[in-house]
Amino acid sequence: MGLARPVSSVEIDGYGDAAKVGPMSDNPDLDLTTLMRSRAGTAFILAMGGEIVEASAGKVLMRLPYSRKLIGNPDTGVLHGGAITAMLDHACGMAVGSGLGVIITEAQARQTTSYATLDLRVDYMKAARPNADVWVAGECVKITRQIVFARARAYQESVDEPVAMATGTFITTETRPGS
Amino acid sequence: MELLAKAAREGQPVDVAALMAVVPYCAFLGVKASLRGEEVVLEMPFDPKLVGNPIIPALHGGVIGSLLETAAIVQAIWSTRAVKIPKPVDFTVDYLRTGRAVTTYAKARLARQGRRVVNVHAELWQEDEARPIATLRGHFLLAGQ
């Protein structure tokens, strides 16, 4: 469809699988993308048909292909707002997780830190056009000792014409190793 | 929407259970709707595909948001006798507790009903209705009727 999306470098065929990931390559973003894609194995995102396209620490780009099962208005074929909400939620969560190093990059952080969503605010600017992909870009904006702030934007043709935008706030939770 | 327009034409209340069946995303989530007086109650049985965190396992935050949003919209349809589906303008979801792998319920009330827009508060719970696991507060646009 030749849709515009943020041009960044990483592109991998197929889904990553944590078990198959070999030694870290020279490109940390590539590793992160591979590993986060395996993380996109989150059942609900997979069930919707969503995927992580690329990722770097604190940033993620996801794609939701149009699907009839996600329609909210059968008269118009427009996606249910909830499907967009779920992608925005996931993009914020993945951006926070990779920003904290909890997802994948730092074994120590992974063992000792977790995080939970406090709230998610969503603004709907316009209906998503049927029969077209929805792109969702998530970004971890600020990490403090206890609270992490994230933003995400859903769009189709252009990142400058958002379908919806989200602001998410997360709290980090210390967990004891092995617990 | 035909189901809503037909109810309006015939002066009949909207069949909220049938509405869930004709909206593909609601069928995908497995949401059922029923009435408790003038209040719409949504029920979503647990399904493995709704999981966001496989370790706990917990419902995906997006599933929780979707159910709250649906509760708000269906209550707005019921309360305003809308013939078109209201559109979300903005909302905030507060996540209070983990959504566990059990049946989840949602309800909503119109805090303010304007001519064009409604302010809706929604709650989601599991075993105990008095202990919501998430709440929503938001605005929905009533389409020109």
Side-chain angles (χ1 to χ4, degrees):
Chain A
M1 295 280 286
L3 293 177
R5 63 182 173 94
V7 200
S8 159
S9 42
V10 183
E11 198 74 50
I12 307 176
D13 292 325
Y15 277 92
D17 179 333
K20 292 182 193 161
V21 173
M24 286 289 183
S25 70
D26 293 337
N27 183 342
D29 286 355
L30 189 75
D31 289 325
L32 193 56
T33 303
T34 310
L35 287 157
M36 283 183 78
R37 278 191 160 196
S38 70
R39 187 80 176 209
T42 295
F44 187 63
I45 298 299
L46 283 179
M48 286 203 305
E51 62 171 351
I52 289 176
V53 176
E54 58 190 47
S56 55
K59 285 193 178 183
V60 62
L61 179 66
M62 301 182 65
R63 184 176 77 103
L64 181 68
Y66 184 77
S67 167
R68 299 195 59 80
K69 65 175 178 258
L70 303 179
I71 290 173
N73 186 332
D75 290 349
T76 59
V78 169
L79 294 182
H80 194 290
I84 310 283
T85 302
M87 291 293 286
L88 290 165
D89 178 287
H90 202 73
C92 283
M94 290 292 109
V96 168
S98 64
L100 286 170
V102 174
I103 298 179
I104 303 136
T105 50
E106 295 170 25
Q108 183 62 28
R110 197 158 64 235
Q111 281 189 344
T112 57
T113 312
S114 184
Y115 59 99
T117 316
L118 289 178
D119 65 31
L120 186 78
R121 148 94 185 206
V122 182
D123 291 311
Y124 279 100
M125 280 77 179
K126 62 174 185 179
R129 191 166 52 80
N131 299 303
D133 290 351
V134 176
W135 296 92
V136 181
E139 185 181 7
C140 178
V141 175
K142 173 72 178 171
I143 297 173
T144 73
R145 197 169 61 81
Q146 296 187 83
I147 303 292
V148 186
F149 300 90
R151 301 275 189 276
R153 177 185 288 236
Y155 59 94
Q156 293 183 300
E157 285 76 13
S158 161
V159 72
D160 297 322
E161 290 177 38
V163 166
M165 293 172 71
T167 304
T169 309
F170 299 77
I171 187 161
T172 57
T173 55
E174 295 283 322
T175 56
R176 275 186 232 101
S179 70
Chain B
M1 188 183 184
E2 179 49 28
L3 189 117
L4 306 181
K6 183 166 178 286
R9 265 199 317 274
E10 296 171 355
Q12 295 294 320
V14 173
D15 184 341
V16 290
L19 180 61
M20 291 299 92
V22 299
V23 174
Y25 188 66
C26 295
F28 171 65
L29 292 177
V31 181
K32 294 176 278 188
S34 59
L35 284 168
R36 193 167 62 183
E38 289 295 306
E39 187 175 70
V40 179
V41 177
L42 301 186
E43 177 182 344
M44 182 184 71
F46 176 74
D47 186 288
K49 81 177 173 208
L50 304 176
V51 165
N53 181 334
I55 297 161
I56 300 180
L59 293 179
H60 195 282
V63 171
I64 289 170
S66 295
L67 195 60
L68 283 165
E69 196 176 329
T70 303
I73 290 171
V74 179
Q75 185 65 53
I77 289 172
W78 176 259
S79 298
T80 68
R81 303 292 184 259
V83 297
K84 289 181 179 171
I85 299 175
K87 294 174 184 165
V89 177
D90 59 43
F91 58 78
T92 300
V93 176
D94 289 323
Y95 295 90
L96 309 175
R97 297 177 177 85
T98 299
R100 294 180 303 105
V102 297
T103 299
T104 307
Y105 303 88
K107 64 179 177 183
R109 66 180 180 86
L110 273 54
R112 152 92 187 157
Q113 182 179 332
R115 198 164 46 82
R116 292 178 299 159
V117 72
V118 288
N119 178 293
V120 189
H121 295 195
E123 290 189 359
L124 193 125
W125 75 94
Q126 293 186 319
E127 273 93 358
D128 186 354
E129 188 170 349
R131 285 170 59 84
I133 62 165
T135 61
L136 170 149
R137 180 187 59 76
H139 295 102
F140 295 80
L141 204 56
L142 303 170
Q145 305 291 326

